[in-house]
Amino acid sequence: MTPATRQKVLGLYRKVFQIAKNWQSASGQIEETMREKEYIRNEARTLFRKNKNVTDPKLIKQCIEECEARIEIGLHYNIPYPRPIHLPPMGLAHKQGRTLRHQEKLRKISKPIYLKSHDEIS
């Protein structure tokens, strides 16, 4: 990891914890706010620790993009939780010669960047 990339990752880590510190839930209830703050902190710790040994520059860039996207979406919608996509089990159209594996591959490719790590830790 280059020093510039390292600084960017550490900056994102600090930014997430600063957001958690100042977070207010949409409902305004103290219990909900505390629960969401704890979720933000735990999610950040889990994902950053999981990816601490990543050395591939493309994968590092993807993780940074995911983090930035989740921050922006969380702040915009005032919801700290990932916003899952709702695809029915066989929601993609069948074409002649396509197999179930191909359907699963297409579903994985179509997943938004902010949900790439969500299934792995949930």
Side-chain angles (χ1 to χ4, degrees):
M1 183 183 311
T2 65
T5 305
R6 179 177 167 77
Q7 288 301 317
K8 184 165 188 140
V9 170
L10 291 174
L12 283 171
Y13 191 74
R14 284 190 291 273
K15 184 176 182 178
V16 169
F17 277 88
Q18 188 64 36
I19 289 169
K21 182 179 176 183
N22 299 322
W23 186 263
Q24 285 293 325
S25 71
S27 67
Q29 295 178 347
I30 294 172
E31 301 84 27
E32 180 125 3
T33 298
M34 297 307 288
R35 193 169 39 249
E36 289 179 1
K37 284 181 177 187
E38 190 62 30
Y39 172 80
I40 293 168
R41 287 191 293 265
N42 288 339
E43 184 83 356
R45 283 186 193 113
T46 302
L47 289 174
F48 277 88
R49 285 180 183 154
K50 178 184 143 244
N51 294 318
K52 74 178 181 180
N53 296 322
V54 174
T55 56
D56 180 27
K58 288 181 182 179
L59 192 54
I60 292 171
K61 184 178 181 215
Q62 181 182 356
C63 291
I64 289 171
E65 289 173 354
E66 179 182 355
C67 182
E68 290 171 341
R70 287 182 72 171
I71 288 171
E72 292 303 317
I73 289 171
L75 291 174
H76 178 76
Y77 292 105
N78 200 27
I79 300 172
Y81 311 108
R83 300 171 58 87
I85 13 179
H86 301 287
L87 284 176
M90 295 303 289
L92 300 173
H94 289 284
K95 289 192 177 180
Q96 191 172 9
R98 291 196 175 186
T99 63
L100 179 61
R101 257 193 322 228
H102 187 69
Q103 292 286 326
E104 290 172 357
K105 181 180 175 188
L106 289 174
R107 201 173 295 115
K108 185 176 180 181
I109 291 170
S110 69
K111 185 182 275 191
I113 191 161
Y114 59 88
L115 287 174
K116 293 292 183 186
S117 64
H118 184 259
D119 291 339
E120 296 169 5
I121 62 167
S122 297

